[in-house]
Amino acid sequence: MPLLEYDIETMLEGCLANDRKAQKLLYEHFYEFAMTIALRYSRDDMDAADIMSHAFVKVLKSIRTFDSSKGSLHAWIKRIVVNEGLDHIKSRSRFSENVELETVAEPGINNSVLEQMGAEEIMKLIQKLPPATHAVFVLYAIEGYNHREIGERLKISEGTSKWHLSEARKTLQQQLTQYNT
Amino acid sequence: MHQKTTYEVTITNKLDQLPVPDLRDAIWSRIEGELDADLPNDDGGDTPPSSPNSGNLLRFALPGIIVIIITLFLIKANQKQKQKANNKTTPNTTIVTASPTASPPPIDTSTLIRNTQIPVVRPGTNVPVSPMPIKNDSVTSQPTTVVVVPPVTDNTTQQAPSLVQAPPPQPLKTDSVVGKKKRGVQGITDKDYRIVPKPDSSRKN
């Protein structure tokens, strides 16, 4: 049951007053939305649960900093969950490769095979990518960021971002080919 | 943002339909635990929130803190006045008086008693007067005051004479020539040591 606008306002007021019921209500309302994002940056459900718990603690602790004039509550929570997801991936590996490539191969991916696959199968393929490659692929292919923006967020060069995307596509295509045969 | 390719759109749509695992309660218990452990703070906010409990504590503690500060200030001022009074008196006497104040602060009477040890000497008694040790904050030490009380007479109608203040005893100086103790018996000169033969009164010639 979707919350009405005045319900969200009441819920935010309760969160500002550290009312536990209001905080739980906010969590329950955004659980599915946030978990969908968290799963993209995780290797499994437990990883996603870690990302969720850290992200919502940050949301509830810093609820006073939310400014409705600068954006929606959805966008604000999504930004926190994505940042938490990236931190989670970074904790597994260092994003320090600086591969300066002027031209990077852009292998294609067979879309028809993708359409035949289920969401869980696709998710498992992405989760198996190496950490840095996984982060770049999700930010580029799913979140829609460009390489400059990805470089700023992950503190890597644009060249390194392009290389990781190229690697992700190669790996996924190989696995899709194996799936098809 | 960049323009998505076909496969990217397909992957995004598929992942949006992905059923999420039901870990609500487990995740919420972790969130609740962390919130209970820390007071909510702003994460990068401009003004940190103040919890209601700390505000109440401050309201109750603040008047007490102010009272303590005022008390300490008044005690210090009182001590300074005492020191000034000590410096202004004559060298022979030291008079200690309590300075009247509009709102008398809680005076440390033990300090006053320690500082004003005035021994009383009655003439005719052999009680030696020794200066009581005085706790003095000033650099120069002040001599003690000795008040001599005249002996009580039978004539009660006679008014007691005014108190005579005897000069203070000289402080002991072990490293000075002036205060050196005289040796030997007083009143004997060199003449006394000359041997003068007495005339023999029994001889007649």
Side-chain angles (χ1 to χ4, degrees), chain B residues 28-62:
Chain B
W28 174 249
S29 63
R30 286 168 64 173
I31 294 168
E32 210 173 14
E34 284 204 44
L35 290 175
D36 288 339
D38 303 320
L39 286 172
N41 291 321
D42 281 343
D43 190 18
D46 293 331
T47 55
S50 60
S51 65
N53 289 335
S54 67
N56 285 336
L57 276 171
L58 202 62
R59 249 183 273 138
F60 288 125
L62 200 57

Short mmCIF file of all heavy atoms in Angstrom, two decimals, chain B residues 28-62:
data_model
loop_
_atom_site.label_atom_id
_atom_site.label_comp_id
_atom_site.label_asym_id
_atom_site.label_seq_id
_atom_site.Cartn_x
_atom_site.Cartn_y
_atom_site.Cartn_z
N TRP B 28 16.53 -5.33 10.11
CA TRP B 28 16.05 -4.29 11.03
C TRP B 28 16.65 -4.47 12.43
O TRP B 28 16.98 -3.48 13.09
CB TRP B 28 14.52 -4.28 11.12
CG TRP B 28 14.04 -3.32 12.16
CD1 TRP B 28 13.43 -3.63 13.33
CD2 TRP B 28 14.16 -1.89 12.13
NE1 TRP B 28 13.16 -2.48 14.05
CE2 TRP B 28 13.61 -1.39 13.32
CE3 TRP B 28 14.70 -0.97 11.23
CZ2 TRP B 28 13.56 -0.03 13.64
CZ3 TRP B 28 14.66 0.39 11.54
CH2 TRP B 28 14.10 0.84 12.73
N SER B 29 16.80 -5.68 12.88
CA SER B 29 17.38 -5.89 14.21
C SER B 29 18.82 -5.37 14.25
O SER B 29 19.27 -4.81 15.26
CB SER B 29 17.33 -7.36 14.61
OG SER B 29 18.11 -8.12 13.72
N ARG B 30 19.54 -5.51 13.15
CA ARG B 30 20.91 -4.96 13.09
C ARG B 30 20.88 -3.43 13.10
O ARG B 30 21.68 -2.78 13.80
CB ARG B 30 21.61 -5.46 11.83
CG ARG B 30 22.02 -6.92 11.90
CD ARG B 30 22.43 -7.45 10.57
NE ARG B 30 23.62 -6.79 10.05
CZ ARG B 30 24.26 -7.18 8.96
NH1 ARG B 30 23.82 -8.20 8.26
NH2 ARG B 30 25.32 -6.54 8.54
N ILE B 31 19.93 -2.89 12.34
CA ILE B 31 19.82 -1.43 12.29
C ILE B 31 19.48 -0.89 13.67
O ILE B 31 20.08 0.09 14.15
CB ILE B 31 18.74 -1.00 11.27
CG1 ILE B 31 19.17 -1.39 9.84
CG2 ILE B 31 18.47 0.49 11.35
CD1 ILE B 31 18.05 -1.28 8.82
N GLU B 32 18.51 -1.53 14.32
CA GLU B 32 18.07 -1.09 15.64
C GLU B 32 19.21 -1.15 16.64
O GLU B 32 19.37 -0.25 17.48
CB GLU B 32 16.91 -1.98 16.11
CG GLU B 32 15.93 -1.26 17.03
CD GLU B 32 14.72 -2.12 17.34
OE1 GLU B 32 14.75 -3.33 17.08
OE2 GLU B 32 13.77 -1.57 17.88
N GLY B 33 19.99 -2.22 16.57
CA GLY B 33 21.12 -2.36 17.48
C GLY B 33 22.12 -1.23 17.34
O GLY B 33 22.60 -0.67 18.32
N GLU B 34 22.39 -0.87 16.10
CA GLU B 34 23.35 0.24 15.87
C GLU B 34 22.77 1.56 16.30
O GLU B 34 23.49 2.42 16.85
CB GLU B 34 23.74 0.29 14.39
CG GLU B 34 24.71 -0.82 14.02
CD GLU B 34 25.54 -0.46 12.80
OE1 GLU B 34 26.01 0.68 12.72
OE2 GLU B 34 25.68 -1.34 11.95
N LEU B 35 21.49 1.76 16.09
CA LEU B 35 20.87 3.02 16.51
C LEU B 35 20.84 3.13 18.02
O LEU B 35 21.03 4.20 18.58
CB LEU B 35 19.44 3.12 15.96
CG LEU B 35 19.30 3.31 14.45
CD1 LEU B 35 17.83 3.26 14.05
CD2 LEU B 35 19.91 4.63 14.01
N ASP B 36 20.61 2.01 18.71
CA ASP B 36 20.59 2.04 20.17
C ASP B 36 21.98 2.27 20.72
O ASP B 36 22.16 2.90 21.76
CB ASP B 36 20.04 0.71 20.72
CG ASP B 36 18.55 0.58 20.49
OD1 ASP B 36 17.89 1.63 20.30
OD2 ASP B 36 18.04 -0.56 20.48
N ALA B 37 22.98 1.78 20.01
CA ALA B 37 24.36 1.92 20.50
C ALA B 37 24.83 3.36 20.42
O ALA B 37 25.51 3.86 21.30
CB ALA B 37 25.30 1.03 19.68
N ASP B 38 24.49 4.04 19.32
CA ASP B 38 24.89 5.43 19.15
C ASP B 38 23.68 6.30 19.22
O ASP B 38 22.63 5.95 18.72
CB ASP B 38 25.56 5.66 17.79
CG ASP B 38 26.74 4.74 17.62
OD1 ASP B 38 27.46 4.55 18.60
OD2 ASP B 38 26.90 4.22 16.51
N LEU B 39 23.86 7.52 19.68
CA LEU B 39 22.81 8.51 19.57
C LEU B 39 22.80 8.95 18.15
O LEU B 39 23.85 9.05 17.54
CB LEU B 39 23.06 9.69 20.50
CG LEU B 39 22.82 9.41 21.95
CD1 LEU B 39 23.30 10.59 22.77
CD2 LEU B 39 21.36 9.15 22.22
N PRO B 40 21.66 9.29 17.60
CA PRO B 40 21.63 9.71 16.20
C PRO B 40 22.44 10.97 16.03
O PRO B 40 22.31 11.92 16.79
CB PRO B 40 20.15 9.98 15.90
CG PRO B 40 19.53 10.11 17.22
CD PRO B 40 20.36 9.36 18.21
N ASN B 41 23.36 10.91 15.03
CA ASN B 41 24.15 12.06 14.67
C ASN B 41 23.93 12.39 13.22
O ASN B 41 23.61 11.54 12.43
CB ASN B 41 25.64 11.78 14.89
CG ASN B 41 25.95 11.65 16.35
OD1 ASN B 41 25.41 12.38 17.15
ND2 ASN B 41 26.79 10.71 16.69
N ASP B 42 24.20 13.63 12.93
CA ASP B 42 24.12 14.03 11.54
C ASP B 42 25.33 13.54 10.80
O ASP B 42 26.44 13.67 11.28
CB ASP B 42 24.06 15.55 11.43
CG ASP B 42 22.67 16.03 11.73
OD1 ASP B 42 21.74 15.22 11.68
OD2 ASP B 42 22.53 17.20 12.01
N ASP B 43 25.13 12.95 9.64
CA ASP B 43 26.24 12.47 8.84
C ASP B 43 26.60 13.54 7.83
O ASP B 43 26.02 13.62 6.75
CB ASP B 43 25.84 11.17 8.15
CG ASP B 43 27.05 10.51 7.51
OD1 ASP B 43 28.18 10.87 7.89
OD2 ASP B 43 26.88 9.66 6.67
N GLY B 44 27.49 14.41 8.21
CA GLY B 44 27.88 15.47 7.29
C GLY B 44 26.96 16.67 7.37
O GLY B 44 27.03 17.55 6.54
N GLY B 45 26.10 16.69 8.39
CA GLY B 45 25.20 17.84 8.50
C GLY B 45 25.93 19.04 9.07
O GLY B 45 27.02 18.93 9.63
N ASP B 46 25.28 20.21 8.94
CA ASP B 46 25.93 21.42 9.42
C ASP B 46 25.85 21.53 10.93
O ASP B 46 26.81 21.88 11.58
CB ASP B 46 25.27 22.64 8.78
CG ASP B 46 25.53 22.67 7.29
OD1 ASP B 46 26.58 22.17 6.87
OD2 ASP B 46 24.69 23.17 6.56
N THR B 47 24.67 21.24 11.46
CA THR B 47 24.51 21.39 12.91
C THR B 47 24.20 20.05 13.53
O THR B 47 23.22 19.41 13.18
CB THR B 47 23.37 22.35 13.24
OG1 THR B 47 22.20 21.88 12.60
CG2 THR B 47 23.72 23.76 12.79
N PRO B 48 25.01 19.59 14.45
CA PRO B 48 24.74 18.29 15.07
C PRO B 48 23.53 18.40 15.99
O PRO B 48 23.37 19.40 16.70
CB PRO B 48 26.01 18.01 15.89
CG PRO B 48 26.63 19.33 16.09
CD PRO B 48 26.23 20.21 14.95
N PRO B 49 22.69 17.39 15.97
CA PRO B 49 21.49 17.46 16.83
C PRO B 49 21.85 17.22 18.29
O PRO B 49 22.79 16.49 18.58
CB PRO B 49 20.61 16.32 16.30
CG PRO B 49 21.57 15.36 15.72
CD PRO B 49 22.72 16.18 15.19
N SER B 50 21.14 17.85 19.17
CA SER B 50 21.39 17.65 20.59
C SER B 50 20.26 16.81 21.14
O SER B 50 19.09 17.07 20.92
CB SER B 50 21.44 18.99 21.32
OG SER B 50 20.22 19.66 21.18
N SER B 51 20.61 15.77 21.88
CA SER B 51 19.59 14.88 22.41
C SER B 51 18.85 15.59 23.54
O SER B 51 19.42 16.43 24.23
CB SER B 51 20.24 13.59 22.91
OG SER B 51 21.08 13.89 24.00
N PRO B 52 17.60 15.25 23.77
CA PRO B 52 16.82 15.96 24.81
C PRO B 52 17.40 15.73 26.20
O PRO B 52 17.32 16.59 27.05
CB PRO B 52 15.42 15.36 24.68
CG PRO B 52 15.57 14.14 23.85
CD PRO B 52 16.78 14.31 23.04
N ASN B 53 17.98 14.56 26.46
CA ASN B 53 18.51 14.30 27.79
C ASN B 53 19.66 15.22 28.14
O ASN B 53 19.74 15.72 29.26
CB ASN B 53 18.98 12.85 27.88
CG ASN B 53 17.80 11.89 27.87
OD1 ASN B 53 16.72 12.28 28.26
ND2 ASN B 53 18.01 10.67 27.42
N SER B 54 20.54 15.45 27.19
CA SER B 54 21.70 16.30 27.49
C SER B 54 21.23 17.74 27.75
O SER B 54 21.82 18.45 28.56
CB SER B 54 22.69 16.26 26.34
OG SER B 54 22.14 16.86 25.21
N GLY B 55 20.15 18.16 27.07
CA GLY B 55 19.65 19.52 27.30
C GLY B 55 19.14 19.68 28.73
O GLY B 55 19.40 20.68 29.39
N ASN B 56 18.40 18.66 29.21
CA ASN B 56 17.87 18.74 30.56
C ASN B 56 18.99 18.77 31.59
O ASN B 56 18.94 19.55 32.56
CB ASN B 56 16.97 17.53 30.84
CG ASN B 56 15.63 17.67 30.12
OD1 ASN B 56 15.23 18.78 29.82
ND2 ASN B 56 14.98 16.58 29.84
N LEU B 57 19.99 17.94 31.38
CA LEU B 57 21.11 17.89 32.33
C LEU B 57 21.77 19.26 32.42
O LEU B 57 22.11 19.73 33.50
CB LEU B 57 22.12 16.84 31.88
CG LEU B 57 21.82 15.38 32.31
CD1 LEU B 57 22.77 14.44 31.61
CD2 LEU B 57 21.96 15.24 33.81
N LEU B 58 21.93 19.86 31.26
CA LEU B 58 22.60 21.15 31.22
C LEU B 58 21.80 22.19 31.98
O LEU B 58 22.34 23.02 32.72
CB LEU B 58 22.78 21.59 29.76
CG LEU B 58 23.87 22.61 29.49
CD1 LEU B 58 25.21 22.04 29.88
CD2 LEU B 58 23.89 22.97 28.03
N ARG B 59 20.47 22.11 31.84
CA ARG B 59 19.62 23.10 32.50
C ARG B 59 19.73 22.97 34.00
O ARG B 59 19.70 23.95 34.73
CB ARG B 59 18.17 22.87 32.05
CG ARG B 59 17.65 24.00 31.18
CD ARG B 59 16.22 23.84 30.79
NE ARG B 59 16.08 23.04 29.59
CZ ARG B 59 15.16 22.10 29.43
NH1 ARG B 59 14.28 21.86 30.35
NH2 ARG B 59 15.09 21.39 28.34
N PHE B 60 19.84 21.75 34.49
CA PHE B 60 19.90 21.56 35.93
C PHE B 60 21.29 21.86 36.48
O PHE B 60 21.44 22.36 37.58
CB PHE B 60 19.49 20.13 36.29
CG PHE B 60 18.02 19.86 36.11
CD1 PHE B 60 17.58 18.82 35.31
CD2 PHE B 60 17.08 20.66 36.73
CE1 PHE B 60 16.23 18.58 35.13
CE2 PHE B 60 15.72 20.42 36.56
CZ PHE B 60 15.30 19.38 35.76
N ALA B 61 22.29 21.53 35.72
CA ALA B 61 23.66 21.68 36.22
C ALA B 61 24.14 23.12 36.13
O ALA B 61 24.99 23.54 36.91
CB ALA B 61 24.61 20.76 35.43
N LEU B 62 23.60 23.88 35.19
CA LEU B 62 24.13 25.22 34.94
C LEU B 62 24.01 26.15 36.15
O LEU B 62 25.00 26.81 36.50
CB LEU B 62 23.40 25.81 33.73
CG LEU B 62 24.11 26.97 33.02
CD1 LEU B 62 25.49 26.56 32.58
CD2 LEU B 62 23.30 27.43 31.82
#
